[in-house]
Amino acid sequence: MDTNKTVLIVDDDNMVLESIDLLLSAADGLQSIRALGSAGAMSHLRQAHVDVVVADVILAGNVSGIDICHEAIRHNDEVAIVVITADTEVHVHDIPDRGVFLRKPFGAAELLAAIGLALGKVGRR
């Protein structure tokens, strides 16, 4: 990544948030914002500029990670999307067109590659 990017991480499991945050902290040019659940994610989308959303599909409550991604696109039509899940019932066709799908568990290299691919889909490297 050649410039600084802000990544919003959305999950309802604090350990997953911390793990992804740790993976991203080792990468140059990425800073992360953690959102525990959909309410926190919506708040961050309204208050901060977000370049990339990394969202778990299944969140507690009525709002899914897919909903968060669509809301992020409404706020910023150049936001990159990475959808993550451990659920084997979720398929690629369920995510936004610009999204990149990543199945849990994954490592740093896979996450960074997915973020790079997602940024490339919106033309923001």
Side-chain angles (χ1 to χ4, degrees):
M1 317 280 160
D2 58 358
T3 59
N4 289 334
K5 302 290 183 199
T6 300
V7 180
L8 175 62
I9 310 163
V10 184
D11 204 300
D12 55 5
D13 182 331
N14 205 33
M15 290 195 60
V16 171
L17 287 175
E18 288 178 21
S19 296
I20 294 173
D21 190 33
L22 184 61
L23 291 175
L24 294 179
S25 70
D28 289 335
L30 296 176
Q31 79 174 43
S32 57
I33 302 170
R34 292 190 249 175
L36 185 61
S38 59
M42 293 297 199
S43 176
H44 286 299
L45 288 174
R46 286 190 289 273
Q47 296 175 12
H49 175 79
V50 173
D51 299 294
V52 182
V53 173
V54 175
D56 190 9
V57 173
I58 299 173
L59 301 172
N62 296 332
V63 178
S64 73
I66 302 292
D67 297 330
I68 298 295
C69 292
H70 287 293
E71 186 65 20
I73 293 167
R74 279 191 283 284
H75 282 274
N76 175 2
D77 65 352
E78 293 186 357
V79 69
I81 303 293
V82 178
V83 175
I84 60 175
T85 189
D87 187 345
T88 58
E89 298 300 313
V90 175
H91 301 285
V92 175
H93 61 79
D94 296 332
I95 68 173
D97 290 341
R98 72 177 64 192
V100 173
F101 183 75
L102 188 58
R103 186 152 326 266
K104 294 177 185 176
F106 50 81
E110 294 163 303
L111 177 60
L112 294 175
I115 289 172
L117 183 58
L119 286 166
K121 284 187 171 195
V122 294
R124 299 180 67 201
R125 287 222 165 233

